[in-house]
Amino acid sequence: FKEEEKGSEKREVKETLNIIVAQNIFEVEEKSNEKIEVKETLKIFQEGYVKRDTTKIIEWCHNIFFDNVEIIRVYSTQTNTSERLTGREKAINAFKKDWVSWGDFEVNLETANIDLEEDFAWVSFEATLTQLEQGDEYICPLRITGALQKKDDIWRFRQMHFAHGNTNFLSNKEEKE
């Protein structure tokens, strides 16, 4: 009789362990799918800079930013030059200027770091801005971080932070020589 109890206890423990393993596998798969969805938002961000279609900038911003998004751009810690934009309308104006005046802007999505907690994601990735001026090529590395929230099954930025070391990367000419 005691052996039957032991066998029954072993089966219960085994079933409990199987349930726990299945739940963990589901959670890992779910997080993996969420990361893919966040990465899709990052791809949409990149596509905006690749296509630079200013007639679609409002739609682009609505797809990836909340109404009250906060965007911080730090251009130089040495000169304390920065910009703080609050709201989608200000974001639209700033990105439109970028699309019109910046050179090639490439986001490195392969090395993007994405951390998730429920309906929130924190991302960090690198980008490179390449500009030609009078036949010279200037390259400016950027670091971008952001906080996203999933609402109505869509991941959008709540906050985004751009950082690069020079006030005007075209002044890199002195460093280049």
Side-chain angles (χ1 to χ4, degrees):
F1 184 72
K2 286 195 176 203
E3 283 190 30
E4 283 182 26
E5 284 180 12
K6 284 183 184 179
S8 175
E9 286 176 12
K10 284 183 182 180
R11 277 192 301 279
E12 286 178 28
V13 168
K14 196 173 188 179
E15 287 172 8
T16 302
L17 287 175
N18 284 337
I19 291 170
I20 291 170
V21 168
Q23 286 173 336
N24 286 338
I25 289 171
F26 176 75
E27 287 173 14
V28 167
E29 287 175 355
E30 187 176 28
K31 267 198 172 175
S32 179
N33 289 338
E34 295 288 319
K35 283 187 177 188
I36 290 169
E37 291 176 14
V38 170
K39 208 167 206 177
E40 286 302 313
T41 300
L42 299 180
K43 286 179 184 176
I44 293 169
F45 173 75
Q46 168 68 24
E47 285 174 14
Y49 276 92
V50 170
K51 293 180 181 175
R52 297 171 185 243
D53 185 349
T54 57
T55 64
K56 295 190 178 184
I57 196 160
I58 294 171
E59 177 186 347
W60 177 79
C61 280
H62 280 270
N63 288 336
I64 63 172
F65 297 110
F66 278 96
D67 287 338
N68 61 346
V69 66
E70 181 176 49
I71 299 171
I72 300 168
R73 297 173 170 207
V74 177
Y75 300 113
S76 175
T77 53
Q78 295 169 341
T79 61
N80 199 25
T81 309
S82 65
E83 235 181 336
R84 183 176 178 184
L85 311 165
T86 303
R88 195 183 287 147
E89 288 305 312
K90 288 184 181 177
I92 289 167
N93 293 332
F95 287 116
K96 189 173 185 176
K97 282 182 197 174
D98 289 354
W99 292 4
V100 170
S101 64
W102 279 13
D104 292 331
F105 182 78
E106 287 187 46
V107 173
N108 185 348
L109 294 179
E110 298 305 314
T111 60
N113 183 40
I114 301 170
D115 289 319
L116 296 163
E117 186 65 38
E118 296 180 15
D119 289 339
F120 290 91
W122 294 266
V123 297
S124 62
F125 52 95
E126 296 177 349
T128 305
L129 177 57
T130 305
Q131 183 88 19
L132 289 175
E133 185 178 279
Q134 298 174 343
D136 290 329
E137 182 180 81
Y138 301 96
I139 298 171
C140 177
L142 291 100
R143 307 298 179 266
I144 302 170
T145 59
L148 295 89
Q149 181 181 6
K150 186 175 187 177
K151 191 171 182 182
D152 300 326
D153 291 327
I154 300 170
W155 285 99
R156 289 189 179 99
F157 283 95
R158 283 262 177 221
Q159 185 273 335
M160 182 177 262
H161 176 249
F162 289 74
H164 59 85
N166 296 313
T167 326
N168 180 354
F169 72 92
L170 294 177
S171 66
N172 288 345
K173 193 170 193 173
E174 295 146 12
E175 294 175 20
K176 197 173 181 183
E177 293 174 348

